[in-house]
Amino acid sequence: MSSQSSTQSFGPTPEHFFRSINAYQLTQALKGALDLDVFTAITEGKTTAKALAESRQASERGMRILCDYLAVMGFLTKAGGNYILTPDSAMFLDRRLPTYVGGSVDFLLSPTFEQAFSDVAAAVRKGGTAISNEGTMSHDNPVWVKFARAMQPLSYGMAQMLTGLVKLDPGKKTKALDIAASHGLYGLSFALQYPKLEVVAVDWANVLEVGRENAEKFGVADRWRALPGSAFDVDFGADTGKGYDLVLVPNFFHHFDPPTNEMLMRKIHAALNEDGRAITVDFVPDEDRAERPQAVAFALTMLATTAGGDAYTFAEYDKMFANAGFSRSELIQPPIGIQQVIVSYK
Amino acid sequence: MSSQSSTQSFGPTPEHFFRSINAYQLTQALKGALDLDVFTAITEGKTTAKALAESRQASERGMRILCDYLAVMGFLTKAGGNYILTPDSAMFLDRRLPTYVGGSVDFLLSPTFEQAFSDVAAAVRKGGTAISNEGTMSHDNPVWVKFARAMQPLSYGMAQMLTGLVKLDPGKKTKALDIAASHGLYGLSFALQYPKLEVVAVDWANVLEVGRENAEKFGVADRWRALPGSAFDVDFGADTGKGYDLVLVPNFFHHFDPPTNEMLMRKIHAALNEDGRAITVDFVPDEDRAERPQAVAFALTMLATTAGGDAYTFAEYDKMFANAGFSRSELIQPPIGIQQVIVSYK
């Protein structure tokens, strides 16, 4: 909302407060624009309020007000009476493109999240989600099927990037475990890169259906196996000498408290080969929790939606992995994206 | 949310979209912080998560996560483990100060607004509020009592500023009509400035109770008279030669369509003395509706909450006032605040 900043500044003003307390309107306006598929219509040449209104069976007045709002909020540019997509909107909000991220609203604005954020004070008092004992971590919670479908376009780029950061020996038969695999894209990106890699994906059975679809799309279904259940409960099936070379843990540890994570890390440690690595992809704030703002802010989502989750710093991860038996961990800041990567060596 | 902007930029990214679709979390976090009165506690010396948690019967973990979030969002600064208020927060979010604006959430986050913004696409299709035929403009809607109480600290500065921009002859007996007076602060600020000024305030009877309280606080109750009812219906009581010198119309025209406004402007024109002026205080975007972002964005609130309201440009106001018989209008951009002033001469 930087485009909303005032041009005057004469000492303290309440403007930042009012913009922020009304920030929900930005959420809702953007959701409305996606509901009406305004961005796609603009790329199809409907660039005036009148043309947009006609193409979307809407009022011209309503369309003009919505598009003007989207323009001052940085999603469109306005030239005369014509609206044009910004480069970001053209890439990510055109429904016809595989990079479309608008589907993420099914997850990000699901009733579970709405409820979890409806009383932040209650979560702060309690020190964890106020919606139930487990929040979004309850067994087979359908919100994770929504996540798997909705967040694919976003995860795709991060998963691709990860295969550039973490290398395997392409000549060797290798094995990766993809924990809380969701859409499966992390494991599948490695499978695409390494034809001798076998991937085992753990998640709820309902969620793994999305992963299986992707394995077929990627043409690697013969080297991808679903292991349904909780990562805490299922047998990872790593016999001595036939353990895993990589264990991928994207966006999972943030849901739990440190003792719970250490328990899982020990289980991962046991499942790794001697030269194996655990790869954490997550929101990792700096040690002061003041830099990497998206990572710092993400902790609030964990407070509101989980019993004991957090955005852990590298020092906290390092300690948890060490307690679980890992020899050392290193933090990598990828060149793109808002998340960090931790490589932990058995 | 400028503090959330990414440090990398490698061509298009979906980050602005994700920050914006999650913007409702900023609303809710800020509301949570006000519910817990965190800002006041910090000024009282509770500057660590631990001290804040103790003073507010909350968890330390929850308080740390909330305050870190408020820091990256620009409401606090963090130095070591201590939180400090920004100058804006110190002035406007400390509940002990008369400048506290946190009470505005009772109005800004009232269920009416939540409902109105729950389906922006529906309002765009219809071209006006989808919640009822009249939206917030229904007779005696209690949301305006909330407005009157909640928005006083914000209006106070603007009203004070207005008495510096619009002058009356202090030696003459004068008369002002304050339309949709609400808390009454616009008319009352003039009454304070001009001891010979008599003020008549029009609004719903339930709302005018707030104005009456303020008239007593200001010590001008003997020169302040409530005229309860709709501005469209009540007799302004302006006999020939005893008309009004000023008619104040703060934050009112934006609720209605131009024909409705012209009808009221004609009634105002008739109630003014020959040298009288109508003073509009409102959100007035530039003619392209691309500058003055708060004014442009405000139109969405009118789309979502009223049948035909808008943020009108100066050219649109000028035309409406001219059609209603006014000789000329001028636009003033006050040195502070996010609203504009239009002076229209009979």
Side-chain angles (χ1 to χ4, degrees):
Chain A
M1 296 203 294
S2 53
S3 54
Q4 269 252 343
S5 63
S6 169
T7 47
Q8 299 97 25
S9 73
F10 280 74
T13 83
E15 292 180 28
H16 182 49
F17 169 78
F18 282 104
R19 273 199 308 278
S20 302
I21 203 78
N22 281 328
Y24 78 97
Q25 298 185 355
L26 176 56
T27 300
Q28 295 297 349
L30 206 44
K31 180 174 178 295
L34 293 170
D35 289 345
L36 293 162
D37 202 12
V38 166
F39 301 100
T40 310
I42 292 174
T43 62
E44 290 172 345
K46 318 294 183 193
T47 59
T48 63
K50 188 165 185 290
L52 284 166
E54 279 167 8
S55 81
R56 294 302 186 249
Q57 289 83 53
S59 69
E60 179 177 347
R61 164 186 146 73
M63 203 53 99
R64 184 261 295 165
I65 290 175
L66 177 64
C67 290
D68 283 346
Y69 182 92
L70 294 171
V72 298
M73 292 301 176
F75 289 95
L76 301 175
T77 49
K78 195 177 175 184
N82 292 279
Y83 301 100
I84 303 163
L85 300 193
T86 61
D88 287 357
S89 298
M91 175 80 96
F92 296 106
L93 301 179
D94 177 350
R95 197 184 291 261
R96 302 166 310 175
L97 300 182
T99 46
Y100 178 70
V101 296
S104 63
V105 300
D106 289 344
F107 171 70
L108 295 170
L109 303 183
S110 64
T112 306
F113 275 71
E114 211 176 304
Q115 196 198 340
F117 273 94
S118 66
D119 191 351
V120 168
V124 172
R125 286 194 193 95
K126 187 173 171 184
T129 184
I131 60 178
S132 72
N133 283 338
E134 297 172 298
T136 54
M137 288 297 99
S138 57
H139 195 280
D140 281 333
N141 191 320
V143 79
W144 299 113
V145 180
K146 286 187 178 175
F147 177 91
R149 297 214 179 273
M151 303 303 270
Q152 292 190 60
L154 188 65
S155 302
Y156 184 71
M158 191 70 183
Q160 286 289 101
M161 188 272 307
L162 193 64
T163 64
L165 293 177
V166 175
K167 300 292 187 185
L168 285 168
D169 182 343
K172 266 180 62 180
K173 275 194 74 153
T174 45
K175 207 168 147 189
L177 182 66
D178 192 355
I179 288 186
S182 184
H183 39 62
L185 292 179
Y186 285 91
L188 291 168
S189 295
F190 278 95
L192 258 186
Q193 190 90 349
Y194 297 100
K196 294 187 174 180
L197 177 69
E198 181 194 338
V199 176
V200 177
V202 178
D203 212 317
W204 302 122
N206 56 352
V207 177
L208 283 175
E209 289 309 307
V210 184
R212 183 179 308 281
E213 287 170 25
N214 284 328
E216 278 157 20
K217 269 187 220 159
F218 277 52
V220 298
D222 56 325
R223 292 184 286 121
W224 187 91
R225 185 161 63 85
L227 183 52
S230 158
F232 295 95
D233 301 331
V234 296
D235 182 346
F236 290 157
D239 307 321
T240 316
K242 296 166 68 184
Y244 292 96
D245 301 285
L246 279 187
V247 176
L248 306 171
V249 198
N251 293 304
F252 193 57
F253 290 127
H254 58 231
H255 295 106
F256 308 102
D257 62 18
T260 307
N261 283 332
E262 287 181 18
M263 193 162 62
L264 181 59
M265 287 165 178
R266 272 190 290 274
K267 191 174 167 185
I268 292 169
H269 187 266
L272 281 170
N273 288 331
E274 283 313 305
D275 59 351
R277 288 159 290 171
I279 312 297
T280 302
V281 179
D282 220 309
F283 290 98
V284 184
D286 70 304
E287 298 308 322
D288 291 333
R289 289 191 160 89
E291 310 290 322
R292 299 180 205 145
Q294 291 95 340
V296 175
F298 183 74
L300 188 70
T301 299
M302 291 303 99
L303 179 73
T305 63
T306 71
D310 206 341
Y312 295 105
T313 67
F314 175 67
E316 290 171 332
Y317 271 113
D318 193 38
K319 188 177 167 197
M320 288 187 268
F321 275 110
N323 288 346
F326 284 80
S327 62
R328 67 182 179 92
S329 295
E330 62 190 36
L331 176 70
I332 302 175
Q333 176 62 60
I336 59 162
I338 58 176
Q339 293 197 301
Q340 289 72 40
V341 174
I342 294 170
V343 180
S344 303
Y345 296 84
K346 179 161 183 168
Chain B
M1 294 205 295
S2 53
S3 55
Q4 268 252 346
S5 63
S6 168
T7 48
Q8 299 97 23
S9 73
F10 279 74
T13 83
E15 292 181 28
H16 182 50
F17 170 77
F18 283 104
R19 273 199 309 279
S20 301
I21 204 77
N22 282 328
Y24 78 96
Q25 299 185 354
L26 176 55
T27 299
Q28 295 296 349
L30 206 43
K31 179 175 178 297
L34 294 170
D35 289 346
L36 293 162
D37 203 12
V38 167
F39 302 100
T40 309
I42 292 173
T43 62
E44 290 171 345
K46 318 294 183 194
T47 59
T48 63
K50 187 164 185 289
L52 284 166
E54 279 166 10
S55 81
R56 294 301 186 253
Q57 289 84 53
S59 70
E60 180 177 345
R61 164 187 146 73
M63 203 53 98
R64 185 262 294 165
I65 291 175
L66 177 64
C67 290
D68 283 347
Y69 181 92
L70 294 171
V72 299
M73 292 302 175
F75 289 94
L76 300 175
T77 50
K78 196 178 175 184
N82 291 280
Y83 301 100
I84 303 163
L85 300 192
T86 62
D88 287 357
S89 298
M91 174 80 97
F92 296 106
L93 301 179
D94 176 350
R95 199 184 291 261
R96 303 165 310 174
L97 299 181
T99 46
Y100 178 70
V101 296
S104 63
V105 300
D106 290 344
F107 171 70
L108 295 171
L109 303 182
S110 63
T112 307
F113 275 71
E114 212 177 302
Q115 196 198 340
F117 273 93
S118 67
D119 191 351
V120 168
V124 173
R125 287 193 193 96
K126 187 175 171 183
T129 184
I131 59 176
S132 72
N133 283 337
E134 297 171 299
T136 54
M137 288 296 100
S138 58
H139 196 280
D140 280 334
N141 191 319
V143 79
W144 298 112
V145 180
K146 287 188 178 174
F147 176 92
R149 296 211 179 274
M151 303 303 270
Q152 293 190 59
L154 188 65
S155 302
Y156 184 71
M158 191 70 182
Q160 286 289 101
M161 189 273 307
L162 193 65
T163 64
L165 294 176
V166 174
K167 300 292 187 184
L168 285 167
D169 182 342
K172 265 179 63 180
K173 277 193 73 153
T174 46
K175 207 169 148 189
L177 182 66
D178 192 356
I179 288 186
S182 184
H183 38 61
L185 292 179
Y186 285 92
L188 290 168
S189 295
F190 279 95
L192 259 186
Q193 189 90 349
Y194 297 100
K196 295 187 173 178
L197 178 69
E198 182 195 336
V199 176
V200 177
V202 177
D203 212 317
W204 302 121
N206 56 351
V207 177
L208 284 175
E209 288 309 307
V210 184
R212 184 180 309 280
E213 286 170 25
N214 284 327
E216 278 156 21
K217 270 188 220 159
F218 277 52
V220 298
D222 57 324
R223 293 183 285 121
W224 187 89
R225 186 161 62 84
L227 184 53
S230 158
F232 295 97
D233 301 332
V234 295
D235 182 347
F236 290 156
D239 307 320
T240 317
K242 297 166 66 183
Y244 292 96
D245 300 285
L246 280 187
V247 177
L248 306 170
V249 198
N251 294 304
F252 194 57
F253 290 129
H254 59 230
H255 296 105
F256 309 101
D257 63 18
T260 306
N261 282 333
E262 288 182 19
M263 193 162 61
L264 181 60
M265 287 165 177
R266 272 190 290 274
K267 192 174 167 185
I268 291 168
H269 187 266
L272 282 169
N273 288 332
E274 281 313 305
D275 58 352
R277 287 159 293 171
I279 312 296
T280 303
V281 179
D282 220 308
F283 290 99
V284 184
D286 70 304
E287 297 309 321
D288 291 333
R289 289 191 161 87
E291 309 290 324
R292 298 180 205 145
Q294 292 95 339
V296 175
F298 182 75
L300 188 70
T301 300
M302 292 302 99
L303 179 72
T305 63
T306 70
D310 206 341
Y312 296 104
T313 67
F314 176 67
E316 290 171 332
Y317 271 113
D318 193 37
K319 188 177 166 196
M320 287 188 267
F321 275 111
N323 287 347
F326 284 80
S327 62
R328 67 183 179 90
S329 295
E330 62 190 37
L331 176 70
I332 302 175
Q333 175 63 60
I336 59 162
I338 57 175
Q339 294 198 299
Q340 290 72 39
V341 174
I342 293 170
V343 180
S344 303
Y345 297 83
K346 180 160 182 170

